[in-house]
């Protein structure tokens, strides 16, 4: 317990108030020194990679609404940016994200294959990226302060809906 002393002006006596430690301590530290901020930044990069992947796959996978998926991932990326800033971090949109770059690479290779193989390669890339994002969000939920958990859980529900549409037997 931290104590906070106040000097009462009228009585001239010291009054001590006690607050729970969790309320007086900051939830996260500044910038990139925090694991939670790093995890959010990595997830942000993966979300941006998902936007690019779905924009690329819009023509190759007619069975899904790739434009809607891209828009939802763009909304997730914006929410993550706000979350990073509210936790006193700096959003990093410039670095390399391994899972999303591999998915984009596989999708681009798929363009040069016969149509059925291209569709399957693109679909598999989308499924793998969605699963990787879901794992990241579960990790973030373990680290997240209470105020961020609702938003992260909403992202997990959205990704589960994407996976259900992409791969009904997962």
């Amino acid at each position: 317990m931290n104590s906070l002393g106040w000097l009462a002006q009228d009585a001239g006596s010291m009054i001590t108030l006690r607050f729970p430690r969790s309320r007086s301590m900051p939830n996260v530290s500044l910038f990139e020194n925090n694991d939670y901020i790093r995890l959010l930044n990595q997830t942000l990069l993966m979300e941006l990679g998902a936007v690019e992947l779905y924009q690329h796959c819009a023509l190759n996978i007619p069975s899904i609404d790739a434009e809607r998926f891209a828009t939802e991932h763009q909304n997730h990326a914006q929410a993550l940016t706000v979350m990073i800033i509210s936790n006193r971090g700096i959003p990093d949109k410039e670095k390399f994200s391994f899972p999303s770059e591999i998915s984009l690479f596989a999708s681009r290779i798929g363009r040069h294959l016969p149509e059925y193989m291209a569709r399957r390669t693109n679909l598999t890339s989308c499924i793998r990226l969605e699963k990787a994002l879901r794992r990241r969000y579960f990790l973030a939920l373990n680290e997240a302060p209470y105020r961020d958990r609702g938003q992260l859980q909403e992202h997990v529900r959205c990704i589960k809906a994407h996976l259900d549409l992409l791969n009904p037997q997962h």
Side-chain angles (χ1 to χ4, degrees):
M1 300 287 270
N2 290 344
S3 62
L4 179 63
W6 293 84
L7 188 60
Q9 294 175 352
D10 57 345
S13 63
M14 182 70 96
I15 299 172
T16 302
L17 301 174
R18 297 196 183 272
F19 295 102
R21 180 171 220 102
S22 62
R23 293 226 175 172
S24 60
M25 304 268 306
N27 288 325
V28 295
S29 62
L30 294 174
F31 310 113
E32 296 178 1
N33 297 330
N34 184 292
D35 290 336
Y36 179 61
I37 297 296
R38 269 192 296 266
L39 186 58
L40 288 180
N41 269 320
Q42 292 167 354
T43 308
L44 172 63
L45 293 172
M46 289 175 66
E47 287 286 3
L48 294 172
V51 170
E52 189 175 341
L53 178 64
Y54 281 112
Q55 288 171 344
H56 174 75
C57 291
L59 300 174
N60 298 336
I61 311 174
S63 61
I64 63 166
D65 189 1
E67 291 296 325
R68 180 176 62 96
F69 286 11
T71 302
E72 288 173 354
H73 282 292
Q74 183 65 42
N75 293 340
H76 292 179
Q78 290 171 350
L80 285 171
T81 300
V82 169
M83 203 177 296
I84 291 167
I85 292 169
S86 71
N87 284 293
R88 295 189 302 259
I90 298 172
D92 188 7
K93 299 179 183 180
E94 304 284 324
K95 290 185 180 173
F96 172 82
S97 174
F98 191 71
S100 58
E101 294 297 327
I102 293 294
S103 295
L104 284 169
F105 179 70
S107 176
R108 288 181 182 134
I109 287 177
R111 254 191 299 193
H112 303 290
L113 299 173
E115 185 179 338
Y116 73 94
M117 289 181 73
R119 195 173 318 125
R120 183 178 174 143
T121 302
N122 288 331
L123 185 61
T124 302
S125 296
C126 292
I127 290 170
R128 286 189 177 156
L129 185 56
E130 293 285 354
K131 286 181 178 181
L133 273 167
R134 185 176 59 183
R135 283 190 300 272
R136 286 280 178 195
Y137 278 117
F138 282 133
L139 289 172
L141 277 167
N142 289 334
E143 300 281 327
Y146 183 76
R147 69 177 179 271
D148 292 348
R149 290 184 184 162
Q151 184 73 43
L152 293 172
Q153 288 170 344
E154 184 59 37
H155 292 194
V156 170
R157 280 191 287 277
C158 185
I159 288 172
K160 183 183 181 324
H162 290 181
L163 283 170
D164 289 343
L165 291 171
L166 291 170
N167 187 17
Q169 62 268 40
H170 84 274

